[in-house]
Amino acid sequence: MLVNSVTVFCGASPGRGPAYLRAATALGRAVAGAGLRLVYGGAALGLMGAVADGALSAGGTVIGVIPENLPREIAHLDLTELHVVPDMHRRKALMGELGDAFVALPGGLGTAEELFEVLTWAQIRLHSKPCVLLNQDGYYRPLLDYLRHATHEGFLNATDTERLAVCDDADQVVRFLTSLPAVS
């Protein structure tokens, strides 16, 4: 699958310590540096703002998708495109349509929910797009333990977890995505 657009799920919070913000900025820069388009949740806050700013600072194309019920001051106003959609369901659907791959940076409930939804879509063969965790400083270690446990207990198949690539930094994410073979 040729990846031209990367949908990033991440927190609207910066998290504790500067490492998460640095990772988000680095991912945005790396995505733009590889000539890939960034699709994300449209906010100017936290990791969302950092990933967008990183891509924009590297001359990248950045598309935000934000639900209309969020306050206007949350929206990033310097994007290439900003889609305002009716609700969170439409936001996730459009982000899914616009991206050729999905990457989860650290985040909270929304990030986890978005990641699990695209993994579920892959499990039931609604898409075959790559799904990647950027496991900054081992942030996703407990989630990976849970997935191994769910597999061990018979709730997941090994193929369900094998479709989730785990990378330790932004450059590794982009190398993975750009090395995927083109599918015709």
Side-chain angles (χ1 to χ4, degrees):
M1 156 171 273
L2 184 61
V3 174
N4 294 307
S5 248
V6 179
T7 294
V8 174
F9 305 128
C10 58
S13 168
R16 288 193 179 157
Y20 299 127
L21 284 171
R22 281 195 303 266
T25 301
L27 181 63
R29 285 189 188 132
V31 165
L36 305 173
R37 181 174 70 162
L38 175 72
V39 177
Y40 84 113
L45 308 171
L47 299 191
M48 281 197 215
V51 73
D53 289 341
L56 291 167
S57 73
T61 299
V62 181
I63 299 171
V65 183
I66 195 163
E68 64 188 14
N69 66 325
L70 290 180
R72 284 277 154 232
E73 58 271 11
I74 289 176
H76 198 304
L77 302 178
D78 297 322
L79 305 177
T80 310
E81 293 176 33
L82 179 63
H83 297 269
V84 180
V85 296
D87 54 42
M88 293 297 282
H89 294 292
R90 187 64 198 131
R91 178 196 213 182
K92 292 183 296 181
L94 185 55
M95 290 173 69
E97 292 168 22
L98 293 172
D100 300 320
F102 304 102
V103 176
L105 279 161
L109 293 174
T111 302
E113 191 264 340
E114 291 164 333
L115 172 65
F116 276 107
E117 185 156 17
V118 297
L119 287 172
T120 301
W121 292 348
Q123 182 185 45
I124 62 174
R125 293 174 177 61
L126 293 179
H127 74 78
S128 59
K129 299 174 183 182
C131 299
V132 182
L133 285 180
L134 197 161
N135 191 26
Q136 177 66 40
D137 294 336
Y139 179 81
Y140 281 112
R141 189 175 306 118
L143 176 69
L144 295 167
D145 289 344
Y146 160 74
L147 293 173
R148 280 189 287 279
H149 177 70
T151 302
H152 180 264
E153 294 299 319
F155 291 102
L156 292 174
N157 293 315
T159 56
D160 296 328
T161 56
E162 290 166 359
R163 66 176 47 98
L164 181 62
V166 180
C167 297
D168 294 322
D169 60 49
D171 291 332
Q172 189 180 17
V173 169
V174 170
R175 278 194 309 273
F176 171 76
L177 293 175
T178 58
S179 71
L180 296 170
V183 176
S184 49

